[in-house]
Amino acid sequence: MKTHLLTAVASLALLAGMASADEVRVYNWSDYIDEDLLAKFEDETGLKLIYDVFDSNEVLETKMLAGGSGYDVVVPSGTFLQRQISAGAFQKLDPAQLPNAGNLWDVIQQRTDQYDPGGAYSINYMWGTTGIGYNVGKVTAALGEDAPLDSWELVFDPANMEKLAECGVYFLDAPAEMIPAALNYIGEDPDSQDPEVIAKAEAVFTAIRPYIRKFHSSEYITALANGDICVAVGWSGDVFQAQFSASEAENGHEIDYSIPKQGAQMWFDQMAIPADAPNPEGAHKFINFILDAQNSAAATNYVWYASGNKAAQEFIDQEILDYPAVYPDEETLQNLFTTRPYPAKVQRVVTRLWTKIKSGT
Amino acid sequence: MRRFTLIAVPYLWLLVLFLVPFAIVFKISLSDTALAIPPYAPTLDLSSGWAGLRSFFAELDLENFWFLTTDDLYWKAYLSSLQIAALSTVFTLLVGYPIAYAMAQAEDAWRPTLMMLVILPFWTSFLIRVYSWIGILSNEGFLNQFLIWSGLISEPLIILNTNTAVYIGIVYTYLPFMILPIYAALEKLDSSLLEAAEDLGCSRLTAFWLVTIPLSKQGIIAGCFLVFIPALGEFVIPSLLGGSQTLMIGKVLFEEFFSNRDWPVASAVAVILLLILIIPIVLFQRNEQKQREAEGQ
């Protein structure tokens, strides 16, 4: 159970210290790396690695826009990255210091090009989808054998949600992902930036609001694993972590993840170097270290998010490569959509709508 | 000279820790958002001299304060925060006063230990203490397990992620701030005054009402301020223990700052919050002072 509060406190503590040339400070998403890699990086480079985590793009973005974050490598998602690049938050990468960049996967690069053309500022860390995590036993108990597990109907149809409310449903507290999902469900363009179209999402959420127990972007991992809830709209790898925790604990909860057939949002987390990074050289070393095929594979084998690294696939467990919820097949891939960042005015509309959905005010 | 230094210290404190930060926040509240670092404009650039300073002030306006009046979210959040803070203060007083009273009545040998026990929770991080309430209040938490085990209820009570949990969190967190000033006031209480009241025909209860309570008034006032003021802008407790429907100005501020990246509007919200707090407190203090002067004459 982590929240942005913890990370905020952690980074305050960090700001209090002074940066030095033999330190690299990395700010990444929570539960997003095999921690053995951190020790390995320190052994290989002799640099001291300070690794902090966050669980929301908004918190990261505020640090970037405030400047002087003290971090050398940060990992925003594509849409946020694009906006931060235009605000001047990042420095261009030096290809000479990234010999492993050739390992990148062109299929993913083509898609991240829309946020950062040519990858001038960023390197893909991992990518994934926003879909539905569920407790197989509890959902079939509530909805029967023919529960629409592969469809957004599971969470957006009030008839289903009414029955699921009893066993508990969490939604991500991330309007930039939830609103596109709802728009996609009602057949509108999920990437719409037209306030009138975005407003249509409200009705979808209002109808199911009474049945949503909580909006939160990380607590659902534990809640799913413990059986506190039976359905969560969440990020692919997080649901796999819940699945893993539940099977480790042998608590009888079988957790699974589905990419709804109507389509789901595909997102990309990109490693970038802040413009005012104290140790850009060390930052390049860290990114190049992650770009190494075996290191990248180790991270994916641990967190079960798909890697943007083509060469790593040789070392990734076959089980993961064959799992369509992590590495979607061609047909599913066609159905995945990406979104652009909202302009400031539209962002305000989206945030306001989200507050209204959550609090009723 | 020594006197001047003595007076200067609190004023310097006020200047550095209150007026300067307030001026910065107020200045941002008059700015506009921008896609830049920092994300607002204009920023103060002293290198361009007078002309730069003049154009800097020309670009500031009250637009963001007007904006707050166009959406009912803001005043609803202020009202709801005031309500939560006021009710929590009352609950804290109801719980804290008896504890402080008991401490003051305890034997002298016991008092340092009791005092220690009140302060002890501060040795653990505030964040961790609030987190542990999640473990106590959740559907499968200790409280529900105990109540179900004891047969009092058959279905778990839903407390976590409701306003009730927020009240519990605030009362728990701020209780020491209520107990300590009241205890300080009660400890000094001259017990012969109570004996005199009883000699004059007061029952113990009436003596409590007519003597003890008025004499501990300063402690009660100090305790209420110490609880009410931080509770009004509380963010951690409602975001950890409260539900999505818990509307508090701290959360609205967070959204403006983090989700909308609108530092100017966030600053305007903060400025208004400060005014809501300061104006009544200043008026209250002035009134108190007048009363004291009137009594003195």
Side-chain angles (χ1 to χ4, degrees), chain A residues 89-106:
Chain A
F90 299 118
Q91 53 180 281
K92 281 200 169 167
L93 300 175
D94 175 12
Q97 294 184 55
L98 299 171
N100 289 339
N103 290 341
L104 284 170
W105 191 5
D106 53 345

Side-chain angles (χ1 to χ4, degrees), chain B:
Chain B
M1 186 61 207
R2 224 183 105 213
R3 206 167 145 197
F4 175 77
T5 329
L6 275 177
I7 298 175
V9 171
Y11 276 95
L12 194 71
W13 179 271
L14 189 72
L15 181 76
V16 173
L17 294 179
F18 178 74
L19 288 177
V20 170
F22 178 75
I24 295 172
V25 170
F26 186 62
K27 186 241 124 184
I28 298 177
S29 75
L30 301 176
S31 313
D32 294 310
T33 50
L35 190 53
I37 300 175
Y40 55 85
T43 46
L44 189 53
D45 180 16
L46 288 175
S47 59
S48 50
W50 265 116
L53 207 62
R54 198 174 303 160
S55 73
F56 167 75
F57 280 108
E59 276 181 61
L60 300 176
D61 56 53
L62 288 166
E63 192 186 23
N64 295 311
F65 290 92
W66 286 122
F67 174 77
L68 297 187
T69 62
T70 59
D71 192 333
D72 57 3
L73 170 72
Y74 301 100
W75 66 263
K76 279 186 179 164
Y78 282 121
L79 276 185
S80 153
S81 300
L82 281 171
Q83 187 197 334
I84 291 178
L87 268 177
S88 315
T89 309
V90 172
F91 290 139
T92 317
L93 179 62
L94 290 179
V95 179
Y97 199 95
I99 298 177
Y101 188 75
M103 280 169 65
Q105 298 292 312
E107 280 174 40
D108 284 353
W110 272 96
R111 288 188 190 177
T113 318
L114 292 173
M115 185 79 152
M116 196 68 196
L117 288 175
V118 171
I119 301 172
L120 203 63
F122 287 112
W123 290 14
T124 314
S125 150
F126 161 65
L127 205 56
I128 292 176
R129 283 183 284 135
V130 178
Y131 254 107
S132 38
W133 275 103
I134 296 179
I136 298 173
L137 298 177
S138 76
N139 284 2
E140 294 174 14
F142 297 127
L143 181 67
N144 275 313
Q145 282 183 3
F146 173 74
L147 290 177
I148 291 175
W149 171 81
S150 65
L152 285 171
I153 52 169
S154 53
E155 286 286 308
L157 296 174
I158 295 177
I159 304 174
L160 189 64
N161 303 331
T162 66
N163 280 359
T164 315
V166 176
Y167 285 119
I168 294 176
I170 295 179
V171 171
Y172 163 75
T173 308
Y174 293 109
L175 193 58
F177 297 104
M178 183 65 89
I179 295 176
L180 294 177
I182 296 179
Y183 169 71
L186 287 175
E187 197 195 15
K188 284 183 296 198
L189 195 97
D190 186 352
S191 60
S192 59
L193 291 174
L194 286 172
E195 285 164 19
E198 283 178 35
D199 285 348
L200 293 171
C202 271
S203 70
R204 289 193 71 166
L205 197 67
T206 339
F208 177 76
W209 268 116
L210 295 178
V211 179
T212 313
I213 296 267
L215 284 177
S216 56
K217 193 176 129 198
Q218 289 308 323
I220 295 177
I221 292 170
C224 287
F225 275 149
L226 284 176
V227 174
F228 180 79
I229 295 170
L232 187 64
E234 186 54 61
F235 170 71
V236 176
I237 297 171
S239 46
L240 290 183
L241 303 179
S244 310
Q245 74 289 342
T246 310
L247 196 62
M248 281 193 82
I249 202 66
K251 281 173 91 177
V252 170
L253 231 160
F254 183 91
E255 293 277 302
E256 286 298 340
F257 198 73
F258 286 91
S259 303
N260 289 342
R261 289 173 301 284
D262 196 333
W263 293 22
V265 166
S267 305
V269 172
V271 168
I272 302 276
L273 179 66
L274 200 71
L275 293 181
I276 291 179
L277 276 174
I278 283 189
I279 293 174
I281 291 174
V282 168
L283 290 178
F284 178 81
Q285 294 285 30
R286 188 170 293 177
N287 188 34
E288 282 284 294
Q289 202 166 353
K290 266 188 197 157
Q291 267 189 9
R292 238 174 288 156
E293 280 165 13
E295 280 167 17
Q297 275 164 6

